[in-house]
């Protein structure tokens, strides 16, 4: 197997784990799945994928400007790849952003409801429009191959206007992304907070966007064993280095003018992040590109490019996360699901990139079919691993299906959180029992109203079990201020567990939006783990034990509740008196005999829901 197919497998694994993370996020909601909180509301998906992701995808607009507007034809060979990077970068960023908003299905709302006062409104519009523009720019490459020449000619005719719109949109939204943080002077650390943020953002985005194109082109040459034009890339690198040089000057000048130079030697841990960001994002790439030997070698250029890209990523993470930690008074570290989704979105974009590269003329020297097959390792090769696992002769498609299945199941295990437990199965709501006589002294228990009815002599039980004192023997838990609540109110589903905790009703009763801190400790994620024990409030009125901190408020199924209680007590009676009150027919006697099939059904149901 070659490096290419191994890399693809890794990407498939990461993308699959990402897909599972998406499912978990959609089912569980942000609160259950992420480690975000009120004071650290922007995490990986917004900062890493959106703010940082679009920054390094900026090469598309930079090169479009270079080739179409400044007419520097020399760089045309990397124009298409740059546009594809922009398309995929913006696509995956938009996708992660949709997952990050509270209601993903409402993503289109800014199109209809206009809030001119919001930077986010501008960002949303620019990103959506620019993504459409990149899609139109990529379209000819794909359409050409499918013989849609008329459409391609039409698109070519609008290329220049499209490019100009693209440049405007892209620069608009980079500056507004910067402006987002200009709006939080009280929050952002002085090392990063400056009114120059919009300009610094766009400079670093263009500089590192160019280096991203270099990195991708070099990686392409390496993975597909194709020649690359190093001298052209070297020139491109010089252009990128000049822009990053301007950026570096801007950063330092800004610190000096704001009188914050001393913040660099104040001994706070943020300094380390700041210095690392400048070294990676500007100093190292500039120095490497300035050295002729490094600039002319693939290794030197690749190091410069990776360093520039990493530096800009770190810069955005610093502005969006690191720099806010101190004033938040709370730390934030992304949860497993957050990391998985972030990385998965990148991996998926990379896979699409490979697909486009292999099937369309993204690069001028697209690899030929036979060449690709050899690279994929489709040809029979039998190294030791291959022989043991019989992987050698396996076609790449089979191998990848295998990888995906294994990764998906492993990921399901990783994220088995509240979210997965909460997956809704089909519910069978329980109905109240009917009274067999006028005083309801005998109840006909038939929660799902089928032919299976159990007669329960309620009155007889009260008398036999101690009259007025008997109630708590069965009514083990009640609604607030109720002596004996009916079981079906809480054990409300025939076969599934039901939560007896109604979040909305609590919020409403405890003074709406001011209620949160009565149960959730501030500055920590709001979820099950960080909520006040029920008994703290319901010790008196529901009879919950004060010590029941880890109290499980999911009432088991109606069938389980009935069997657990009725049969438990009857078994004890049987042991004492030698009776046979715990046998199925003792209770289920008013209908057709319980068949072995029914017994199987009950164990299936209880097995899934009981403890
Ligand atoms: C002490 C009384 C008692 C005994 C003994 C008992 N059950 Fe039940 N069972 C109930 C009650 C009460 C219900 C709830 C009836 C309802 O709401 O339809 C129930 C429900 C069920 C249901 C679900 C019925 C439905 O409509 O979905 C099945 C199946 C069942 N029992 C099977 C059994 C089997 C098999 C046994 C013997 C191993 C057994 N039961 C023993 C009291 C009993
Ligand atoms: C042997 C167990 C047991 C005992 C003892 C018991 N109950 Fe019940 N009670 C039940 C069950 C089972 C139901 C039916 C619940 C359902 O399906 O919702 C019920 C239902 C009720 C209901 C709703 C009645 C209806 O008509 O729907 C009330 C009220 C009630 N019990 C009060 C009491 C009081 C008061 C006592 C004590 C004096 C008591 N119970 C003792 C098991 C018991
Ligand atoms: C106020 C809500 C509420 C009412 C009313 C209620 N339950 Fe429960 N029940 C729960 C919850 C929550 C649990 C799970 C927590 C626990 O084990 O205490 C539970 C657990 C149980 C269990 C399992 C206990 C164990 O130790 O595993 C049985 C059996 C049961 N209920 C039967 C009943 C019966 C029968 C009635 C009616 C007579 C009833 N419950 C009324 C909420 C309720
Ligand atoms: C009475 C206590 C209480 C109050 C008041 C309360 N919560 Fe909760 N909250 C809980 C509990 C308990 C859970 C866990 C629920 C679960 O596991 O089903 C929870 C879960 C959550 C979750 C994660 C739920 C999910 O389904 O993803 C969020 C988000 C949340 N609360 C936000 C809030 C906000 C915002 C407020 C204030 C408007 C608030 N809570 C007020 C007790 C409370
Ligand atoms: C901060 C105090 C507080 C905490 C913590 C709390 N509750 Fe409540 N709860 C209330 C109040 C207040 C009411 C309204 C009581 C009334 O109607 O008299 C209520 C009502 C209820 C009710 C009645 C139905 C409803 O939703 O209105 C249930 C059931 C209930 N709580 C269960 C729980 C459970 C389970 C927990 C733990 C997860 C819990 N509560 C935690 C304050 C609290
Ligand atoms: C706390 C103990 C206890 C629980 C819980 C309990 N039982 Fe009983 N049950 C008894 C006793 C004691 C008798 C009476 C035995 C006798 O006749 O001496 C009895 C008798 C019965 C009888 C026969 C009554 C008659 O006179 O014909 C039925 C039917 C029955 N139970 C059904 C149920 C069902 C259904 C449930 C669950 C909803 C239940 N029991 C829960 C203790 C219990």
């Amino acid at each position: 197997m070659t490096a290419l197919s191994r890399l693809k497998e890794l990407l498939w694994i990461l993308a699959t784990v990402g897909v599972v993370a998406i499912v978990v996020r959609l089912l569980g909601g942000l609160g259950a799945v992420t480690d975000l909180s009120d004071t650290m509301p922007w995490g990986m998906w917004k900062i890493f994928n959106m703010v940082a992701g679009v920054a390094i995808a900026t090469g598309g607009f930079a090169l479009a400007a270079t080739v179409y507007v400044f007419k520097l034809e020399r760089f045309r060979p990397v124009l298409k790849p740059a546009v594809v990077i922009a398309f995929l970068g913006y696509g995956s960023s938009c996708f992660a952003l949709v997952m990050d908003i509270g209601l993903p299905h409402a993503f289109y709302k800014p199109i209809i409801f206009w809030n001119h006062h919001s930077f986010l409104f501008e960002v949303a519009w620019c990103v959506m429009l620019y993504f459409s523009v990149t899609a139109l720019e990529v379209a000819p490459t794909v359409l050409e191959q499918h013989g849609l020449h008329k459409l391609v000619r039409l698109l070519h005719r609008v290329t220049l206007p499209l490019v100009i719109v693209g440049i405007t949109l892209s620069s608009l939204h980079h500056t507004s992304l910067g402006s987002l943080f200009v709006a939080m002077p009280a929050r952002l650390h002085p090392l990063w907070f400056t009114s120059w943020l919009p300009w610094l953002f766009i400079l670093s985005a263009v500089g590192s966007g160019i280096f991203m194109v270099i990195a991708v082109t070099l990686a392409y040459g390496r993975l597909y064993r194709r020649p690359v034009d190093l001298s052209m890339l070297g020139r491109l690198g010089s252009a990128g280095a000049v822009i990053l040089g301007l950026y570096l000057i801007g950063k330092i000048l800004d610190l000096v003018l704001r009188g914050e130079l001393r913040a660099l030697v104040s001994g706070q841990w943020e300094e380390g992040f700041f210095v690392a960001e400048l070294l990676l994002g500007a100093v190292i790439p500039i120095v490497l590109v300035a050295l002729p030997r490094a600039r002319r070698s693939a290794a030197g250029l690749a190091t410069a490019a990776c360093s520039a890209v990493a530096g800009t990523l770190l810069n955005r993470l610093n502005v969006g996360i690191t720099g806010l930690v101190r004033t938040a008074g709370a730390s934030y570290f992304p949860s497993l699901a957050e990391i998985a989704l972030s990385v998965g979105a990148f991996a998926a974009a990379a896979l699409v990139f490979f697909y486009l590269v292999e099937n369309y003329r993204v690069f001028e020297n697209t690899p030929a079919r036979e060449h690709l097959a050899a690279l994929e390792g489709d040809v029979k090769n039998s190294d030791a691993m291959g022989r043991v696992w019989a992987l050698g002769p396996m076609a790449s498609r089979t191998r990848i299906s295998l990888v995906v299945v294994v990764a998906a199941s492993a990921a399901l295990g990783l994220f088995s959180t509240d979210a997965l437990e909460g997956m809704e199965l089909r519910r069978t709501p329980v109905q109240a029992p009917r009274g067999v006589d006028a005083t309801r002294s005998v109840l006909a228990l038939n929660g799902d109203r089928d032919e299976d009815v159990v007669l329960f002599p309620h009155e007889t039980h009260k008398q036999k079990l101690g009259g007025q004192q008997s109630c708590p023997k069965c009514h083990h838990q009640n609604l607030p201020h109720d002596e004996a609540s009916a079981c079906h109110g809480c054990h409300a589903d025939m076969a599934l567990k039901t939560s007896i905790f109604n979040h909305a009703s609590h919020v409403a009763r405890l003074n709406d939006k001011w209620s949160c801190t009565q149960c959730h400790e501030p500055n920590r994620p709001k979820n099950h783990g960080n909520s006040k024990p029920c008994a703290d409030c319901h010790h008196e009125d529901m009879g919950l034990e004060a010590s029941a901190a880890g109290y499980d408020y999911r009432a088991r199924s109606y069938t389980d509740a009935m069997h657990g209680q009725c049969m438990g007590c009857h078994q004890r009676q049987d042991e004492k008196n030698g009776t046979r009150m715990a046998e199925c027919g003792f209770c289920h006697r008013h209908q057709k005999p319980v068949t072995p099939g029914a017994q199987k059904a009950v164990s299936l149901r209880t097995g899934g829901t009981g403890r």
Side-chain angles (χ1 to χ4, degrees):
M1 266 196 284
T2 59
L4 177 65
S5 48
R6 222 166 269 154
L7 176 64
K8 278 194 196 163
E9 272 166 20
L10 178 68
L11 292 172
W12 274 104
I13 294 177
L14 295 175
T16 310
V17 176
V19 169
V20 176
I22 291 171
V23 175
V24 173
R25 180 259 172 268
L26 289 177
L27 290 173
L30 287 175
V33 169
T34 67
D35 270 336
L36 301 172
S37 61
D38 283 352
T39 39
M40 290 300 291
W42 287 6
M44 280 290 271
W45 301 343
K46 205 166 271 140
I47 304 302
F48 184 69
N49 291 68
M50 179 68 216
V51 181
V54 298
I56 58 170
T58 301
F61 111 78
L63 274 152
T66 317
V67 174
Y68 288 115
V69 182
F70 301 121
K71 303 275 182 227
L72 295 174
E73 285 295 327
R74 188 191 305 141
F75 297 119
R76 193 176 272 278
V78 286
L79 175 61
K80 272 190 196 170
V83 170
V84 171
I85 293 172
F87 170 68
L88 294 174
Y90 273 73
S92 64
S93 303
C94 291
F95 184 76
L97 190 63
V98 167
M99 288 300 136
D100 191 86
I101 56 179
L103 302 172
H105 57 271
F107 73 92
Y108 63 88
K109 298 250 164 136
I111 303 178
I112 300 171
F113 305 105
W114 288 37
N115 176 5
H116 324 268
H117 304 292
S118 166
F119 287 128
L120 280 177
F121 173 72
E122 192 192 332
V123 172
W125 264 97
C126 289
V127 168
M128 279 188 280
L129 286 175
Y130 186 59
F131 178 55
S132 317
V133 169
T134 53
L136 287 177
E137 286 178 349
V138 170
T141 314
V142 175
L143 295 176
E144 227 158 32
Q145 202 122 333
H146 297 293
L148 298 164
H149 298 296
K150 272 209 188 106
L151 205 55
V152 173
R153 267 199 298 280
L154 183 76
L155 282 171
H156 274 313
R157 216 168 301 152
V158 294
T159 300
L160 195 61
L162 266 184
V163 166
I164 292 173
V165 172
I167 294 172
T168 320
L169 287 172
S170 190
S171 38
L172 259 178
H173 109 259
H174 275 295
T175 45
S176 51
L177 276 180
S179 312
L180 277 180
F181 299 96
V182 176
M184 38 179 93
R187 287 292 313 273
L188 192 53
H189 193 279
L191 277 174
W192 289 286
F193 178 79
T194 157
S195 53
W196 290 10
L197 263 179
W199 304 112
L200 294 175
F201 260 41
I202 195 160
L203 276 178
S204 55
V206 172
S208 61
I210 289 176
F211 276 108
M212 180 72 183
V213 174
I214 295 176
V216 169
T217 310
L218 287 171
Y220 163 79
R222 181 72 186 260
L223 287 170
Y224 290 94
R225 305 198 184 129
R226 303 263 96 192
V228 289
D229 181 352
L230 273 182
S231 79
M232 184 264 290
L233 290 184
R235 286 212 190 87
L236 199 57
S238 310
V242 168
I243 297 173
L244 288 182
L246 290 177
Y247 166 70
L248 182 63
I249 295 173
K251 283 281 258 193
I252 293 169
L253 202 62
D254 166 58
L255 277 188
V256 174
L257 290 182
R258 284 191 293 122
E260 289 292 350
L261 215 49
R262 71 196 136 80
L264 261 183
V265 287
S266 60
Q268 292 181 336
W269 55 265
E270 283 93 344
E271 290 159 19
F273 282 83
F274 186 84
V275 173
E277 161 201 323
L278 279 191
L279 281 180
L280 286 171
V283 179
I284 294 177
I286 294 173
V287 169
L288 281 177
V289 170
L291 297 172
R293 263 191 60 195
R295 186 174 63 234
R296 288 192 200 114
S297 76
L301 266 181
T303 316
C306 293
S307 171
V309 168
T312 299
L313 290 178
L314 182 59
N315 168 259
R316 299 306 195 264
L317 287 175
N318 283 344
V319 173
I321 297 176
T322 322
L324 298 172
V325 166
R326 189 174 292 272
T327 47
S331 63
Y332 158 81
F333 193 81
S335 69
L336 215 53
E338 286 182 82
I339 297 176
L341 201 152
S342 274
V343 176
F346 267 93
L351 283 172
V352 178
F353 184 82
F354 286 137
Y355 176 81
L356 291 176
V357 164
E358 288 171 17
N359 292 284
Y360 299 98
R361 282 184 63 85
V362 174
F363 287 95
E364 298 199 326
N365 54 1
T366 303
R369 286 265 138 244
E370 316 76 72
H371 182 66
L372 278 176
L375 280 173
E376 277 291 348
D378 267 357
V379 285
K380 292 196 193 339
N381 66 342
S382 47
D383 52 337
M385 280 294 275
R387 273 198 301 278
V388 173
W389 299 104
L391 285 177
M394 219 186 263
S396 66
R397 203 166 294 170
T398 321
R399 216 166 50 219
I400 283 178
S401 320
L402 194 77
V403 164
V404 165
V405 171
V406 173
S409 31
L412 270 173
L414 272 180
F415 307 137
S416 60
T417 57
D418 290 354
L420 287 176
E421 280 172 30
M423 269 208 237
E424 295 275 300
L425 298 171
R426 216 182 63 225
R427 303 196 72 93
T428 322
V430 174
Q431 319 257 345
R434 295 202 169 106
V436 174
D437 53 347
T439 56
R440 295 177 72 89
S441 67
V442 176
L443 298 174
L445 306 180
N446 186 8
D448 52 359
R449 295 290 187 264
D450 61 359
E451 70 289 321
D452 189 0
V453 183
V454 172
L455 291 187
F456 171 54
H458 195 216
E459 205 51 47
T460 313
H461 278 83
K462 285 186 204 167
Q463 280 160 19
K464 296 259 176 184
L465 296 167
Q468 279 315 308
Q469 315 302 313
S470 69
C471 324
K473 285 192 177 136
C474 300
H475 293 275
H476 70 107
Q477 200 178 108
N478 301 304
L479 294 170
H481 313 296
D482 196 3
E483 279 303 321
S485 309
C487 324
H488 67 268
C490 297
H491 299 277
D493 188 273
M494 210 59 199
L496 300 173
K497 286 188 176 182
T498 316
S499 169
I500 66 160
F501 177 66
N502 184 334
H503 199 267
S505 99
H506 277 80
V507 168
R509 282 176 215 265
L510 295 165
N511 202 4
D512 270 336
K513 60 180 172 195
W514 309 112
S515 68
C516 318
T517 48
Q518 291 192 43
C519 294
H520 299 295
E521 203 183 295
N523 295 337
R524 280 183 48 206
K526 292 187 177 56
N527 54 29
H528 175 96
N530 172 30
S531 60
K532 188 182 230 168
C534 316
D536 282 14
C537 297
H538 292 301
H539 177 50
E540 301 286 343
D541 62 3
M542 285 173 69
L544 296 183
E545 278 166 37
S547 61
Y551 164 67
D552 179 1
Y553 42 84
R554 275 164 301 188
R556 35 173 62 194
S557 76
Y558 192 68
T559 309
D560 279 356
M562 289 304 139
H563 281 165
Q565 200 165 76
C566 314
M567 283 164 89
C569 180
H570 280 197
Q571 260 156 11
R572 286 192 292 277
Q573 297 292 328
D574 288 353
E575 278 160 24
K576 217 160 51 192
N577 308 329
T579 45
R580 301 175 70 178
M581 285 166 50
E583 281 178 5
C584 317
F586 185 77
C587 297
H588 293 280
R589 60 178 118 182
H590 298 283
Q591 27 78 67
K592 52 184 175 6
V594 178
T595 58
Q599 191 145 2
K600 201 159 147 202
V602 81
S603 59
L604 269 177
R605 282 180 162 173
T606 51
T609 55
R611 261 187 274 172

